[in-house]
């Protein structure tokens, strides 16, 4: 190798959207490089032109940027070993494929597709191992030159040893030995159209980009003996290999769409926090500090150690990721949370990313339909026209943002996903209709008792508002002017509600539930007392009176 500095790479093929398995590989490579003060290279392996898509290249860059995984070479950053796109390096691959032929480590193969298909048919019929029969390996120099002179199409194949074994050391799995007779027989290195195969391009690129460590999924282990043979044929020192444990679903099978979201875009559109996703994915198959779960990226960069990787496959637990998501949201400032939920409230940004919705994994409830708010082209927030036509109040951008900022502390403790914010804040901006009477009546009360609760709720809301105003006015004065009786904190507010419930002879929950349904239109909402104060006593009482008409 040309350089002793640790240098790793993430080299995806842009044939699909970035998914959890690929992101875990990129993240471990990135963390290893940062932990060693080394370099992290981003390389595009685009030799599969049939499935290649520019949208997948864009998705690669967008995903890493969203996750906060920064690379040192490749992409728009370039670097001393570029270009970092395989389709721009074809001359290099052809040169080194030809070099292997000159060294006697590879050969020209002139077998056409018809012959190869006949071989496959014979192998299938006779239940023989698949693979090339090495027919052209034994051509004389005269036969080869005659075929070349006649312009006969050819590929270049590697001469895999017919006997013996190939050994290599894996940093995680230890020493691995592979019989050469079990390696794919003389695989193609350079195709008829001049395109390199994955194996040739991968080895040449890793060598000339000075890659010191190759960290990839364990599914690549069967290809590694071939790669070691290619390094031997070139006379190059192979990098250190480390094959990472697989990421599986709860059933022990490789993680796939049947388990839930797998593409990063799907996680983005479903309201996951990138910091939470990075934290959780970093723990899939790797340990850090005992007794600790929350690891910001900067901490992971310092704590990652290859010897802390696990050999066994990791299980992707969506519930555990949900917990991480909630924890990271609760650690945010109100301002930061507002910034994160706004796209989902307005149905813009990440909320507009297309996803695969199904009965089992329905589309999230985001945008104006649930929040009652739209984001105008000029960046201002407005109450949706549909809601205004239905009777909702017209509010200015300033008023809307103020109400949203007020409600952030209330929803912060209850959110599991950013997507839940739209429906949670909708009661502040939408025209809330009185629910059906069956939805208003608690299980332990009858209609008459519920009507009594709602009637008394009008007094509760007005007293709550009055005492809150008094306390607020008092605290806005000088400290010496604040009387002891002015304190009206959460405990005092709840005690007020409890006193009304006791007066009616009902439990606190049975007192609050009908009010919640009347005021917010939902059984699930931010804390009710805070919601009433943000909405305003007049609106809250009007909604309660509207609900009373059902009785």
């Amino acid at each position: 190798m040309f350089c002793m500095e640790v240098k790793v790479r993430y080299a995806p093929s842009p044939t699909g959207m970035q998914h959890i398995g690929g992101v875990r590989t990129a993240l471990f490579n990135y963390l290893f490089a940062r932990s060693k003060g080394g370099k992290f290279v981003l390389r595009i392996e685009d030799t599969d032109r049939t499935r290649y898509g520019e949208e997948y290249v864009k998705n690669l860059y967008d995903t890493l940027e969203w996750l906060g995984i920064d690379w040192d070479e490749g992409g728009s950053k370039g670097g001393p070993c570029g270009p970092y796109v395989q389709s721009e390096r074809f001359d290099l691959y052809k040169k080194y494929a030809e070099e292997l032929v000159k060294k006697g480590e590879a050969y020209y193969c002139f077998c056409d597709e018809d012959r190869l298909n006949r071989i496959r048919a014979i192998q299938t019929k006779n239940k023989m191992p698949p693979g090339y029969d090495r027919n052209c390996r034994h051509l004389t120099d005269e036969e080869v030159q005659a075929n070349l002179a006649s312009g006969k199409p050819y590929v270049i194949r590697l001469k895999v040893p017919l006997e013996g074994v190939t050994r290599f050391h894996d940093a995680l799995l230890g020493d691995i030995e592979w019989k050469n007779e079990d390696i794919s027989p003389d695989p193609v290195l350079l195709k008829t159209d001049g395109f390199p195969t994955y194996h040739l391009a991968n080895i040449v690129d890793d060598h000339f980009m000075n890659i010191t460590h190759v960290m990839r999924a364990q599914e690549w282990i069967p290809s590694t003996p071939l790669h070691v043979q290619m390094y031997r044929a070139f006379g190059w020192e192979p990098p250190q290999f480390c094959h990472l444990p697989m990421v599986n679903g709860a059933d022990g099978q490789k993680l796939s769409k049947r388990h839930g979201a797998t593409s990063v875009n799907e996680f983005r559109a479903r309201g996951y926090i990138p910091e939470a996703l990075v934290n959780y994915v970093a723990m899939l198959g790797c340990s850090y500090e005992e007794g600790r779960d929350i690891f910001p990226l900067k901490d992971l960069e310092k704590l990652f150690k290859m010897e802390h990787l696990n050999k066994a496959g990791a299980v992707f637990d969506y519930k555990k990721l949900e917990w991480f998501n909630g924890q990271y949201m609760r650690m945010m400032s109100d301002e930061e949370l507002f910034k994160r939920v706004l796209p989902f409230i307005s149905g813009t940004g990440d909320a507009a990313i297309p996803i695969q919705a199904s009965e089992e994994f329905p589309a999230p409830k985001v945008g104006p339909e649930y929040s009652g708010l739209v984001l105008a082209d000029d960046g201002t927030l407005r109450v949706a026209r549909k809601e205004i036509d239905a009777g909702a109040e017209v509010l200015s951008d300033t008023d809307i943002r103020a109400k949203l900022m007020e409600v952030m502390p209330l929803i912060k403790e209850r959110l599991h996903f950013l997507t839940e914010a739209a429906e949670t804040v909708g009661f502040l901006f939408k025209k809330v209709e009185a629910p059906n009477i069956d939805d208003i009546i608690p299980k332990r009360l009858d209609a008459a008792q519920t009507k009594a609760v709602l009637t008394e709720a009008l007094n509760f809301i007005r007293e709550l508002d009055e005492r809150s105003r008094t306390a607020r006015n008092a605290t806005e004065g000088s400290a010496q002017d604040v009387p002891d009786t002015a304190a009206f904190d959460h405990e005092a507010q709840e005690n007020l509600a409890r006193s009304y419930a006791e007066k009616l002879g009902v439990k606190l929950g049975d007192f609050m539930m009908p009010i919640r349904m009347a005021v917010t239109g939902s059984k699930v909402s931010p804390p009710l007392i805070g919601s009433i104060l943000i909405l305003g006593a007049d609106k809250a009482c009007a909604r309660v009176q509207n609900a009373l008409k059902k009785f």
Side-chain angles (χ1 to χ4, degrees), residues 244-261:
L244 306 171
M246 300 296 291
V247 180
N248 300 321
D251 58 1
Q253 301 299 308
K254 184 178 178 181
L255 190 68
S256 67
K257 292 178 181 177
R258 72 177 182 276
H259 298 111

Side-chain angles (χ1 to χ4, degrees), residues 2 31 62 88 116 119 249 259 289 307-308 316 336 391 430 463-464 499 507 519 534:
F2 300 147
L31 293 177
D62 288 348
E88 299 173 15
L116 295 175
I119 294 172
H259 298 111
E289 287 184 350
E307 53 266 33
H308 288 174
F316 195 94
E336 181 63 24
K430 291 170 65 70
E463 183 174 352
L464 175 69
S499 70
K507 293 184 177 296
V519 172
I534 296 171

Side-chain angles (χ1 to χ4, degrees), residues 516-547:
R516 184 186 304 279
M517 287 300 300
V519 172
T520 70
S522 173
K523 293 180 181 179
V524 180
S525 72
L528 179 59
I529 292 176
S531 297
I532 291 171
L533 294 174
I534 296 171
L535 180 67
D538 290 343
K539 285 185 181 178
C541 286
R543 292 180 183 181
V544 171
Q545 288 169 336
N546 201 29

Side-chain angles (χ1 to χ4, degrees), residues 156-403:
I156 293 179
R157 292 180 179 272
L158 178 72
K159 281 186 179 179
V160 175
L162 303 179
E163 300 176 339
V165 297
T166 297
R167 299 180 179 87
F168 64 93
H169 180 78
D170 186 280
L172 178 60
L173 304 175
D175 294 328
I176 295 177
E177 186 176 284
W178 210 275
K179 290 182 180 179
N180 289 335
E181 64 185 41
D182 294 332
I183 298 176
S184 176
D186 296 4
V188 174
L189 301 179
L190 196 72
K191 293 181 277 190
T192 305
D193 57 8
F195 272 58
T197 58
Y198 164 79
H199 301 294
L200 175 64
N202 182 274
I203 298 307
V204 170
D205 286 347
D206 280 352
H207 176 72
F208 284 101
M209 292 182 184
N210 307 320
I211 301 302
T212 61
H213 296 73
V214 170
M215 301 175 69
R216 58 190 179 189
Q218 287 182 8
E219 62 190 22
W220 287 103
I221 290 177
S223 296
T224 307
L226 172 61
H227 294 173
V228 171
Q229 281 296 333
M230 292 175 67
Y231 278 106
R232 178 200 58 77
F234 279 119
W236 298 339
E237 185 72 21
Q240 170 70 66
F241 295 103
C242 179
H243 289 91
L244 306 171
M246 300 296 291
V247 180
N248 300 321
D251 58 1
Q253 301 299 308
K254 184 178 178 181
L255 190 68
S256 67
K257 292 178 181 177
R258 72 177 182 276
H259 298 111
T262 58
S263 78
V264 178
N265 267 9
E266 189 95 1
F267 285 101
R268 291 180 69 168
R270 291 189 178 277
Y272 287 86
I273 305 289
E275 295 91 336
L277 193 59
V278 165
N279 191 152
Y280 180 64
V281 170
M283 300 178 77
L284 292 174
C286 189
S287 58
Y288 298 89
E289 287 184 350
E290 191 73 27
R292 180 182 173 191
D293 289 314
I294 302 299
F295 295 95
L297 185 58
K298 289 298 181 185
D299 288 358
L300 293 169
E301 292 173 8
K302 299 172 186 174
L303 296 170
F304 183 87
K305 287 182 173 62
M306 195 178 285
E307 53 266 33
H308 288 174
L309 292 171
N310 302 323
K311 294 181 181 180
V315 175
F316 195 94
D317 186 336
Y318 288 88
K319 278 295 180 184
K320 185 68 172 177
L321 175 57
E322 180 182 325
W323 180 85
F324 274 100
N325 214 50
Q327 293 301 308
Y328 271 92
M329 281 190 281
R330 285 178 253 303
M331 290 189 291
M332 290 179 184
S333 67
D334 295 342
E335 291 77 13
E336 181 63 24
L337 182 61
F338 172 78
K339 176 183 173 184
R340 301 288 187 105
V341 299
L342 184 57
F344 298 95
I345 288 173
S346 59
T348 59
D350 285 355
I353 294 175
I355 61 171
Q356 296 291 325
S358 65
E359 185 175 343
E360 187 177 5
F361 305 108
K365 298 176 180 180
V366 297
E369 180 182 353
Y370 299 97
S371 69
L373 297 176
V374 296
L375 187 67
D377 292 339
D378 62 3
T380 58
L381 285 167
R382 302 174 187 175
V383 177
R385 171 51 58 185
K386 175 184 175 183
E387 299 300 331
I388 294 173
D389 291 344
E393 182 183 1
V394 177
L395 298 171
S396 68
D397 175 74
T398 301
D399 289 340
I400 292 171
R401 290 176 185 272
K403 283 187 177 294

